[in-house]
Amino acid sequence: MKVVRYPKHNEWQDLLKRPAFDNASLFDTVNTVLNDVKSKGDIAVKKYGLKFDKVSIETLSVSEQELEWAEKCVSNELKEAILTAKENIAKFHAAQNTQLPKIETSKGVTCWQKAKAIDKVGLYIPGGTAPLFSTVLMLSIPAQIAGCKEIVLCSPPNKEGKIHPAVLYAAKIAGVSKIFKIGGVQAIAAMAYGTESVPKVYKIFGPGNQYVTAAKQLVSLKDVAIDMPAGPSEVEVLADSSANPKFVAADLLSQAEHGVDSQAILITTDEKLAEDVVVEVEKQLAELPRKEIATQSIEHSKIILVKDIEEAIAITNEYAPEHLIISTRNYLEVGEQIENAGSIFMGNYTPESAGDYASGTNHTLPTNGYAKAYSGVNLDSFRKKITYQEISKEGIEIIGNTIEIMAENESLFAHKNAVTLRRLL
Amino acid sequence: MKVVRYPKHNEWQDLLKRPAFDNASLFDTVNTVLNDVKSKGDIAVKKYGLKFDKVSIETLSVSEQELEWAEKCVSNELKEAILTAKENIAKFHAAQNTQLPKIETSKGVTCWQKAKAIDKVGLYIPGGTAPLFSTVLMLSIPAQIAGCKEIVLCSPPNKEGKIHPAVLYAAKIAGVSKIFKIGGVQAIAAMAYGTESVPKVYKIFGPGNQYVTAAKQLVSLKDVAIDMPAGPSEVEVLADSSANPKFVAADLLSQAEHGVDSQAILITTDEKLAEDVVVEVEKQLAELPRKEIATQSIEHSKIILVKDIEEAIAITNEYAPEHLIISTRNYLEVGEQIENAGSIFMGNYTPESAGDYASGTNHTLPTNGYAKAYSGVNLDSFRKKITYQEISKEGIEIIGNTIEIMAENESLFAHKNAVTLRRLL
């Protein structure tokens, strides 16, 4: 790992630069698929399944039998782990179910806000070598707690036309209503527009490759909401001399094994830690099954030495990492000063993988610096808030004049009239 | 107004159709301006100001002197109204400032969530015939309460190079940090990318014409978050025989005077009310200064007669109106059953204009059916939520096995290792 020693403030920006990530060049290709599915429905979905996933699917939806088969395939050990994770995720997200009290903003003027579930949501779970059942939990559990009536899940089938049993099992226990063997751009299109088989949804969630990301962006311009813009995953460890180099190395490598474009950064005040982590990373890397991926990702990762914790905090807020591990003596105090991050892991015994799977927080988080403006997925991602106001005859008398004057000054006389008529009666 | 009598369920969709609203054809033009401002900064901003707003601006930022001049220009009556509105808006939005308690999801595993302000936000206020000082309040008051450090406002200057004094006054009292005389696409570009004068922000809010909307959409693909997609404003009145036809007509016309593409719909169970409203609309319309606009908008507005309140509720949830006025005997009960709407106005004495100006709720709301998935602007629009977890040595021992099993089954061995190493120590 490259060690950068005491960079000046004006070097931060370059140092923290993420790999460019521009989907715009894919928009034409992606638009073709989107439009095709929009106009032709299931037939187009199946055509692209054959073309891109190399598999012909007769019935797009997953049957009861397939769910039963999946349940039999998953080991008891994994089932138990999934159920424990589910319980923790449910506890944390259920606690977010707060409603505000009614507020009397002015005598006779009562205002309130009420969260209502988004009726229909769509979850996309990528295929590939590893079955992302943890992402199924992270998206469907809060959807269920929010009260979404229809929770649709799309995931690409393998060459045998099957979705991994652990994905199906997780979907079943977490309340997904309909599962479809559809991947890629055609899955996003099917959920955005609806087809004969797939219901149209109002919001689409979940990770995906560059094509899926481009498709989500394009449908979000007009047709449907999306969770957030996506980019490669990343972790920052912020550490002082109290950190354990073995743990830090393991945390950096957890990120590095995700993909060759993953980012792992250590920011530390301690020269000795920096040296030890370099050695530990090499040592642990050699043992990893996904060594090849992790090696490439570690090559462009960095250890940055800074003069004190204040500087470490400042540089962190500029970087706005998706995951931030704080391994310092006073980690609670440091955590308070972080303004921009997706999820924060406090102290030496809180690895990122805890949040990835089972602590209870959500692992769908803003990457690419989006943590400056976006939250990770949470209960409110599956709800919208309606505001209400109720004004009494006395109330409109009291604030009526204010409204009339403002409306008149904005040249909106019908707005004024709607108040005046009520005051006359 | 056209009266549609007892439509069948399969006719609803056509009946509720909004005018098509596709910005994609503007993307090329808009992209040219965006890229020009991105690469050339202030010079390009000024060039487009001259081209589109027909005014040459030397200094883009509004000076202290201009703010003082503005304060002198605004009448005491309007100042007082603005301050009253400010107080109500502040009360309602401050009440949304809740923080969740820490949750122990499993022994030794503590998770929590903390809302943090978005550091830098940009507000766009359109120009035109009427000064939208109310929108200044609706955006800058929650930004200030959230604790945004930099609140930037852009608004196009008039032919004399000035922004309306009421807009400047509202911006000043509501805590805007920097005001710029920039309009249109170049304003969105300046805030998205930053220029020599204008700071780059992380999220852009506010209404605008189709070009501004297209610009917001394009910059949201990669560079900056936006409040929500925009469309023409709309109101639905849901009424039974207890409604007052005068009030209903005034409310429909409030919407109609906004613009020729505004939507106003009455859904009612009462034939007599439908008839009376038609007459009242004609009568009130004749008196309006903005008669010409309102007449065009009313032409494509509708009164829909339905058989009972249940059907009225169902059709409303399908339409998902930006503003919904419920004028029925049991309006609280009906309000509970609304799943999709931006803001709801309860009972006979709560006109939409109350929420537009002074009840305290926000008037920046989801149009075009987006209320199915989006909230209106609220305090959380100016914040993002960071999640935290803190796990003790005992805690990682307890959930460690769950994480290890899940990581292994997702083929992520470095994730597993980050836990195993901690359990060994």
Side-chain angles (χ1 to χ4, degrees):
Chain A
M1 282 187 84
K2 197 180 157 193
V3 181
V4 181
R5 301 172 59 87
Y6 309 105
K8 297 202 192 76
H9 191 278
N10 63 12
E11 297 167 334
W12 289 7
Q13 213 181 344
D14 263 355
L15 208 54
L16 301 174
K17 210 171 231 164
R18 275 115 169 154
F21 179 74
D22 193 351
N23 289 321
S25 61
L26 310 177
F27 282 178
D28 283 347
T29 320
V30 169
N31 252 329
T32 308
V33 180
L34 291 176
N35 291 330
D36 213 17
V37 173
K38 190 175 183 176
S39 60
K40 304 204 191 88
D42 283 347
I43 287 182
V45 168
K46 290 177 185 177
K47 179 181 83 180
Y48 290 111
L50 190 57
K51 186 171 173 187
F52 298 130
D53 300 328
K54 313 283 180 223
V55 54
S56 170
I57 300 287
E58 182 90 14
T59 310
L60 294 169
S61 65
V62 169
S63 66
E64 258 322 302
Q65 287 74 14
E66 285 173 285
L67 288 175
E68 282 164 24
W69 160 82
E71 191 158 355
K72 279 184 205 132
C73 293
V74 178
S75 72
N76 285 333
E77 184 187 64
L78 180 56
K79 271 185 202 162
E80 212 176 291
I82 287 177
L83 291 170
T84 302
K86 182 190 173 212
E87 204 177 309
N88 291 351
I89 298 165
K91 259 185 223 160
F92 186 60
H93 289 80
Q96 295 164 31
N97 189 10
T98 54
Q99 299 278 5
L100 293 181
K102 294 188 175 187
I103 305 292
E104 192 171 46
T105 53
S106 157
K107 194 160 166 43
V109 181
T110 309
C111 300
W112 66 103
Q113 194 190 48
K114 206 172 157 67
K116 295 264 184 174
I118 299 174
D119 251 14
K120 300 174 187 192
V121 296
L123 318 181
Y124 183 74
I125 304 296
T129 49
L132 296 181
F133 53 82
S134 62
T135 305
V136 177
L137 299 179
M138 293 294 174
L139 297 178
S140 46
I141 294 168
Q144 195 181 26
I145 293 170
C148 303
K149 290 199 197 88
E150 185 130 62
I151 306 172
V152 175
L153 186 150
C154 286
S155 191
N158 63 14
K159 298 279 177 301
E160 286 78 50
K162 285 183 174 145
I163 294 177
H164 193 287
V167 166
L168 295 181
Y169 174 74
K172 193 183 167 183
I173 62 142
V176 171
S177 8
K178 281 178 183 146
I179 308 172
F180 296 95
K181 290 179 264 187
I182 311 176
V185 176
Q186 60 272 29
I188 304 303
M191 295 192 282
Y193 308 125
T195 71
E196 301 89 324
S197 308
V198 184
K200 175 186 165 35
V201 303
Y202 304 143
K203 189 168 183 179
I204 296 176
F205 297 79
N209 62 21
Q210 293 203 317
Y211 288 90
V212 168
T213 302
K216 281 174 65 187
Q217 289 183 310
L218 288 172
V219 297
S220 79
L221 289 178
K222 208 158 67 105
D223 304 293
V224 63
I226 62 170
D227 46 0
M228 69 186 88
S233 191
E234 53 198 31
V235 72
E236 179 198 314
V237 182
L238 191 169
D240 62 15
S241 61
S242 72
N244 181 320
K246 277 191 186 15
F247 299 174
V248 174
D251 293 334
L252 296 173
L253 287 169
S254 293
Q255 198 54 50
E257 75 174 343
H258 269 301
V260 295
D261 53 1
S262 289
Q263 307 272 298
I265 292 183
L266 166 62
I267 297 180
T268 182
T269 51
D270 192 62
E271 301 230 1
K272 174 84 170 53
L273 181 76
E275 283 160 29
D276 293 348
V277 167
V278 171
V279 175
E280 265 300 325
V281 162
E282 288 304 314
K283 214 190 286 179
Q284 293 182 25
L285 188 55
E287 308 288 321
L288 285 182
R290 292 166 78 101
K291 183 163 46 181
E292 225 169 297
I293 291 172
T295 305
Q296 287 180 65
S297 158
I298 280 294
E299 265 167 26
H300 57 79
S301 292
K302 294 183 193 88
I303 297 176
I304 302 176
L305 268 165
V306 295
K307 65 172 197 296
D308 53 29
I309 288 290
E310 285 62 46
E311 196 170 72
I313 292 168
I315 202 167
T316 302
N317 282 329
E318 187 143 329
Y319 183 54
E322 181 192 12
H323 304 96
L324 173 64
I325 300 173
I326 306 181
S327 291
T328 61
R329 266 174 214 89
N330 58 345
Y331 57 82
L332 283 170
E333 224 173 274
V334 174
E336 277 297 306
Q337 294 173 71
I338 301 301
E339 300 295 332
N340 302 319
S343 193
I344 304 186
F345 301 79
M346 303 289 247
N348 280 332
Y349 289 92
T350 314
E352 188 206 304
S353 43
D356 289 339
Y357 291 111
S359 64
T361 63
N362 209 289
H363 80 195
T364 308
L365 297 165
T367 54
N368 202 33
Y370 293 123
K372 287 178 177 170
Y374 290 89
S375 311
V377 163
N378 58 69
L379 188 66
D380 280 342
S381 309
F382 297 90
R383 315 196 293 181
K384 69 272 177 183
K385 295 193 176 151
I386 301 179
T387 51
Y388 295 77
Q389 46 253 290
E390 183 184 2
I391 306 181
S392 67
K393 179 124 183 55
E394 191 192 0
I396 196 72
E397 197 45 60
I398 292 169
I399 64 161
N401 196 236
T402 294
I403 301 168
E404 289 171 334
I405 291 166
M406 291 176 81
E408 193 173 330
N409 277 279
E410 287 195 352
S411 311
L412 295 173
F413 288 87
H415 282 65
K416 180 184 177 184
N417 201 36
V419 173
T420 311
L421 282 174
R422 283 167 167 96
R423 294 178 73 189
L424 287 175
L425 212 81
Chain B
M1 281 188 85
K2 195 180 159 196
V3 181
V4 181
R5 302 172 58 87
Y6 309 104
K8 296 202 193 77
H9 191 279
N10 61 13
E11 297 168 333
W12 289 5
Q13 213 182 344
D14 262 355
L15 208 54
L16 302 174
K17 209 172 232 166
R18 276 112 170 157
F21 180 72
D22 193 350
N23 290 320
S25 61
L26 309 177
F27 283 177
D28 283 346
T29 320
V30 169
N31 252 329
T32 309
V33 180
L34 290 177
N35 290 330
D36 213 17
V37 172
K38 190 176 185 177
S39 60
K40 304 206 189 88
D42 283 348
I43 287 183
V45 168
K46 289 176 185 177
K47 180 181 84 180
Y48 289 110
L50 189 58
K51 184 170 174 187
F52 298 129
D53 299 329
K54 314 281 179 225
V55 54
S56 171
I57 301 287
E58 181 91 16
T59 309
L60 295 169
S61 65
V62 169
S63 66
E64 257 324 301
Q65 287 75 16
E66 284 174 284
L67 288 175
E68 282 164 24
W69 160 82
E71 192 159 353
K72 279 182 206 134
C73 293
V74 178
S75 71
N76 285 335
E77 183 187 65
L78 180 56
K79 273 185 202 161
E80 213 175 293
I82 287 177
L83 290 171
T84 303
K86 182 189 174 214
E87 205 177 310
N88 291 352
I89 298 165
K91 258 184 226 161
F92 185 59
H93 288 79
Q96 295 164 30
N97 189 10
T98 54
Q99 298 279 4
L100 292 181
K102 294 188 176 187
I103 305 292
E104 192 172 46
T105 54
S106 158
K107 193 160 167 42
V109 181
T110 309
C111 299
W112 67 102
Q113 193 190 47
K114 207 172 157 67
K116 295 264 183 172
I118 299 174
D119 251 15
K120 301 175 186 190
V121 296
L123 319 179
Y124 183 75
I125 304 295
T129 48
L132 296 181
F133 53 82
S134 62
T135 305
V136 177
L137 298 179
M138 293 294 175
L139 298 177
S140 47
I141 293 169
Q144 195 181 25
I145 292 171
C148 302
K149 291 199 196 88
E150 186 131 62
I151 306 172
V152 175
L153 186 150
C154 286
S155 191
N158 63 14
K159 297 280 178 299
E160 286 79 48
K162 284 182 174 147
I163 294 177
H164 194 286
V167 167
L168 294 181
Y169 175 74
K172 193 183 168 185
I173 63 141
V176 171
S177 8
K178 282 178 182 146
I179 309 171
F180 296 96
K181 291 179 265 188
I182 311 176
V185 176
Q186 59 272 27
I188 303 303
M191 295 192 282
Y193 308 126
T195 71
E196 300 89 323
S197 308
V198 184
K200 174 187 167 32
V201 302
Y202 304 144
K203 189 167 182 179
I204 297 177
F205 297 78
N209 62 20
Q210 293 205 317
Y211 289 91
V212 168
T213 300
K216 281 174 65 186
Q217 289 183 311
L218 287 172
V219 298
S220 79
L221 289 178
K222 211 158 68 104
D223 303 294
V224 63
I226 63 171
D227 46 359
M228 70 186 89
S233 191
E234 51 197 33
V235 73
E236 178 197 315
V237 181
L238 191 168
D240 64 14
S241 61
S242 72
N244 182 320
K246 277 192 185 14
F247 299 174
V248 173
D251 294 333
L252 296 173
L253 288 168
S254 294
Q255 198 54 51
E257 77 174 342
H258 269 300
V260 295
D261 53 2
S262 289
Q263 307 274 298
I265 292 182
L266 165 62
I267 297 180
T268 182
T269 50
D270 192 63
E271 301 230 1
K272 173 86 169 50
L273 181 76
E275 283 161 27
D276 293 349
V277 168
V278 171
V279 176
E280 265 300 325
V281 162
E282 288 305 315
K283 212 190 285 180
Q284 293 182 24
L285 188 55
E287 307 289 320
L288 286 182
R290 293 167 78 102
K291 182 163 46 180
E292 222 168 298
I293 290 172
T295 306
Q296 286 180 68
S297 158
I298 279 294
E299 264 167 26
H300 57 81
S301 292
K302 296 182 191 86
I303 298 176
I304 302 176
L305 267 165
V306 294
K307 66 172 196 297
D308 54 30
I309 288 290
E310 284 62 46
E311 195 170 74
I313 293 168
I315 202 166
T316 301
N317 283 329
E318 187 143 329
Y319 183 54
E322 180 192 11
H323 304 98
L324 173 64
I325 300 173
I326 305 181
S327 292
T328 61
R329 266 172 214 91
N330 59 344
Y331 57 82
L332 283 170
E333 225 173 276
V334 174
E336 278 297 306
Q337 293 173 71
I338 301 302
E339 299 295 333
N340 303 319
S343 193
I344 304 186
F345 302 80
M346 303 289 248
N348 281 333
Y349 289 92
T350 314
E352 187 206 304
S353 43
D356 289 339
Y357 291 111
S359 64
T361 63
N362 209 290
H363 80 195
T364 308
L365 296 166
T367 55
N368 201 34
Y370 293 123
K372 288 177 178 172
Y374 290 90
S375 311
V377 164
N378 58 69
L379 188 65
D380 280 341
S381 309
F382 296 91
R383 314 195 294 181
K384 72 270 177 182
K385 294 190 177 154
I386 302 179
T387 51
Y388 295 76
Q389 47 253 290
E390 183 185 1
I391 306 181
S392 66
K393 179 124 183 54
E394 191 193 359
I396 196 72
E397 198 44 61
I398 293 170
I399 64 161
N401 197 235
T402 294
I403 302 168
E404 288 170 335
I405 292 166
M406 292 176 81
E408 194 174 327
N409 277 280
E410 287 194 353
S411 310
L412 295 173
F413 288 87
H415 283 65
K416 181 185 178 186
N417 201 37
V419 172
T420 311
L421 281 174
R422 283 166 165 99
R423 294 179 72 190
L424 287 175
L425 212 83

